[in-house]
Each structure stands twice: as structure tokens, then as C-alpha cells.
Amino acid sequence: EAQVTQNPRYLITVTGKKLTVTCSQNMNHEYMSWYRQDPGLGLRQIYYSMNVEVTDKGDVPEGYKVSRKEKRNFPLILESPSPNQTSLYFCASSLRWHFTSTDTQYFGPGTRLTVL
Amino acid sequence: KNQVEQSPQSLIILEGKNCTLQCNYTVSPFSNLRWYKQDTGRGPVSLTIMTFSENTKSNGRYTATLDADTKQSSLHITASQLSDSASYICVVSATTGGSYIPTFGRGTSLIVHP
């Protein structure tokens, strides 16, 4: 089954404790991205990756890191989490994302993160 | 600054009725406009994707329209069902350096009552 998976689905942690949220897709997609969703603000892009070893900042990259060493995986790293990073996080992927693309973007199930 | 405004913020309708959700945007240069359905606690699911040259796109009971001149889009839901209860998100992407920058609307929360 074609899908985007995220782990963990729920996480409660404390300020400053490094954590990684994994994202994996099995569709051989080039483009992957991370979003956070907060009440009243909608989805905001954190980072995106056009392909392996190619990443770039989205609208709200501060406090986050990403890597794209393999095509299928795109982990989100919080080196020193803070309470304002408490949010619902979504990973997404699509086949391509160049200017002529209308490829469908597939979202993962979400990771609910609470930072105390 | 690129912006996407959706209206209404929330909507309650009776099962079987039709409804229309609105999306106004100021994104430039325009690349494409997407509508997503997001059930509570789940990831968004793509409904329609439209480019500049398309003014209507259907997906079952969902029909999206696009007026690139006025920078407006609408999503029409026909014969609503209880399962249509969800948040509907409009996303407009701009082109920059060959890549996309998506701007998300805050969504319209639709509740369908029996």
C-alpha cells in the first residue's frame, strides 16, 4: 500500500531533550516536506527536500533540522525542543515538485508533540 | 506577502444539502491551487489540483472552480453526506526558482448534521 508513515504518533518530552520524528514513504517520491499545524494558524511549512541531499527552509524553520540521506526517509530533528514547538506535525511527499507539476501530495498521519 | 483567505470559517448544513466554500488568494506568481479534506486528527487528503489554465475540476461530489483573474476559487459539495464533516483547506502555490512555495489557508470547518 502506498503510504507515508511517521513515528512516533504521539510524544511528550521535556524542554531541551533532543528528539527525532521519522518520516518514510514507499512511493519513490522525490519531494518531501514537513509541516506543523497549530489551532487558528493552519499548516505551515518547516522544511522541504527536492531530492536526496537537497533540502531548503520553509516558512518556519527555526529550531528544526532535517536530513535527506535516502530518498524514502526525511527525519525531522529538534535539537533542543521548547514549549512553543508543541504542535501537530505532518510529513508529506509527492512524486515531483517542479513548476509544471500537479502531482498529488500525500500526507502522513501526523505526530502530536508536547514539550513541557 | 502571499496570503490565502478562506470563508466561511465554519459551516453547518443538513445531510443531503449542497454547500460552497470560498478561497481568495494573493499568491504570486501563481502556479497551482489545491483543495484538501482533513478529517479530525488525520493528515490532509488531496481533492483537486488546478493550474492557471483550468477553471473547473471535479472529484466525485466535489467540484472546484478557479477564477485566476479575480484570484478566487470555490469548492462545491453536492448532496452532502455525514462523512463530509471535516476541515477543507485551500492551498495556493507560487513558483520560485523552479520549486513551489505553498501558502495554506486556515481551512473551513464543515459539519454535516443528519
Side-chain angles (χ1 to χ4, degrees), chain B residues 2-20:
Chain B
N2 290 334
Q3 286 188 311
V4 175
E5 300 288 341
Q6 292 188 243
S7 62
Q9 187 173 350
S10 62
L11 182 62
I12 300 174
I13 62 173
L14 292 176
E15 186 179 14
K17 297 296 186 181
N18 303 336
C19 68
T20 300

Side-chain angles (χ1 to χ4, degrees), chain B:
Chain B
K1 181 181 178 183
N2 290 334
Q3 286 188 311
V4 175
E5 300 288 341
Q6 292 188 243
S7 62
Q9 187 173 350
S10 62
L11 182 62
I12 300 174
I13 62 173
L14 292 176
E15 186 179 14
K17 297 296 186 181
N18 303 336
C19 68
T20 300
L21 314 180
Q22 299 291 341
C23 172
N24 296 339
Y25 62 92
T26 58
V27 174
S28 180
F30 177 87
S31 175
N32 60 64
L33 186 146
R34 302 165 184 251
W35 282 94
Y36 290 88
K37 177 187 179 187
Q38 185 178 22
D39 293 317
T40 301
R42 305 189 71 171
V45 174
S46 181
L47 293 176
T48 62
I49 305 169
M50 289 183 293
T51 60
F52 184 87
S53 60
E54 298 173 296
N55 55 26
T56 187
K57 184 71 71 76
S58 291
N59 179 359
R61 293 180 298 103
Y62 302 100
T63 299
T65 63
L66 172 65
D67 186 334
D69 291 331
T70 61
K71 299 187 176 181
Q72 296 179 325
S73 175
S74 64
L75 180 68
H76 186 74
I77 304 175
T78 303
S80 61
Q81 300 175 357
L82 298 179
S83 59
D84 291 331
S85 295
S87 179
Y88 291 84
I89 302 171
C90 175
V91 185
V92 185
S93 293
T95 55
T96 174
S99 64
Y100 292 139
I101 302 295
T103 301
F104 289 78
R106 298 184 181 185
T108 292
S109 176
L110 175 65
I111 298 174
V112 180
H113 278 163

Side-chain angles (χ1 to χ4, degrees), chain A residues 46-65:
Chain A
I46 302 170
Y47 268 96
Y48 64 94
S49 171
M50 307 285 281
N51 213 325
V52 176
E53 302 291 0
V54 181
T55 63
D56 208 346
K57 297 176 181 178
D59 292 327
V60 287
E62 295 78 20
Y64 304 94
K65 287 176 60 178

Side-chain angles (χ1 to χ4, degrees), chain A residues 90-116:
Chain A
F90 289 101
C91 179
S93 75
S94 62
L95 183 61
R96 303 158 300 176
W97 206 263
H98 56 73
F99 69 96
T100 60
S101 170
T102 54
D103 297 329
T104 298
Q105 185 170 217
Y106 296 88
F107 282 80
T111 295
R112 188 167 293 280
L113 172 65
T114 301
V115 182
L116 302 175

